[in-house]
Amino acid sequence: MTRPQSIEHLDIAVSECRACPRLVQWREQVAEEKRAAFADESYWGKAVPGFGPADAAMLIVGLAPAAHGANRTGRMFTGDRSGDVLYRAMHAVGLASQPTATHIGDGLTLNGVRITAPVHCAPPQNKPTPAERNTCRPWLDDELRLLRPTLRSVLVLGAFGWQSLLPTLAANGWEIPRPAPKFGHGAQLDLGSITVFGSYHVSQRNTFTGLLTPTMIEDVLRNAGRHARLL
């Protein structure tokens, strides 16, 4: 398969991917059965591409689309409570045009930031398998390759994203220290042309329990944004 030569072509190719049978079956089942609150909506029900400009200076790496969030709306972190937390914080520090993300066409734009995930399909129980992560990895490879000329910082949400990203960065020419740095909120890794930051994921479990507070996510977003020269 020919590798995408632009972010636009990458996004189209991602949305057409059917490489993981379990994920394809699940995302389409969810899109057909729906949640009662969204019974009148047409679900996206496909792999969800990244969101943000093709010349982004900052990349945010999550986990995977939520079944009734991005799998419904077709845009990363859009239409669920995790996205509510993320975009509110991004708007607060000046990285998003508005604090809410409800659907494609709601007017939301990102300031020099692109959002992606190591797995582009909604997985059952929000738990992709290592094999599914590895199958999806070429899309992250391509995204990093295409963003490399402008990329200055990467913010990783959660340990799964951290463990997925570091080997991908290594495969794309960035030198990762050995042993690989451990994930933690506030972790920071200087790789020369880019700096990688770690944050707890904006999941309901983390935000409801107070493991991740609005101040904590705003602080790390602000730090990553400054390293990307966006703030």
Side-chain angles (χ1 to χ4, degrees), residues 61-64 77 82 156-159 183 185 199-207 211-212 217:
V61 179
L63 170 57
F77 282 103
S82 294
V156 187
L157 302 175
F183 170 77
H185 186 83
S199 170
Y200 294 138
H201 196 279
V202 288
S203 66
Q204 291 184 58
R205 181 177 62 182
N206 289 344
T207 56
L211 181 65
L212 181 68
I217 185 64

Side-chain angles (χ1 to χ4, degrees), residues 34-132:
K34 305 181 181 180
R35 178 175 284 172
F38 310 121
D40 295 333
E41 296 189 24
S42 295
Y43 274 53
W44 173 258
K46 298 184 286 186
V48 180
F51 168 49
D55 59 350
M58 175 177 164
L59 182 66
I60 296 177
V61 179
L63 170 57
H68 301 281
N71 187 57
R72 172 173 60 89
T73 63
R75 193 175 70 188
M76 287 287 176
F77 282 103
T78 299
D80 61 34
R81 290 183 177 179
S82 294
D84 292 345
V85 172
L86 178 61
Y87 288 119
R88 190 181 303 120
M90 291 182 69
H91 179 258
V93 303
L95 294 174
S97 64
Q98 60 191 46
T100 57
T102 56
H103 62 279
I104 292 177
D106 60 7
L108 175 65
T109 59
L110 304 184
N111 174 25
V113 182
R114 185 167 170 84
I115 301 177
T116 193
V119 175
H120 285 271
C121 292
Q125 300 179 323
N126 291 323
K127 293 181 179 179
T129 67
E132 289 162 348

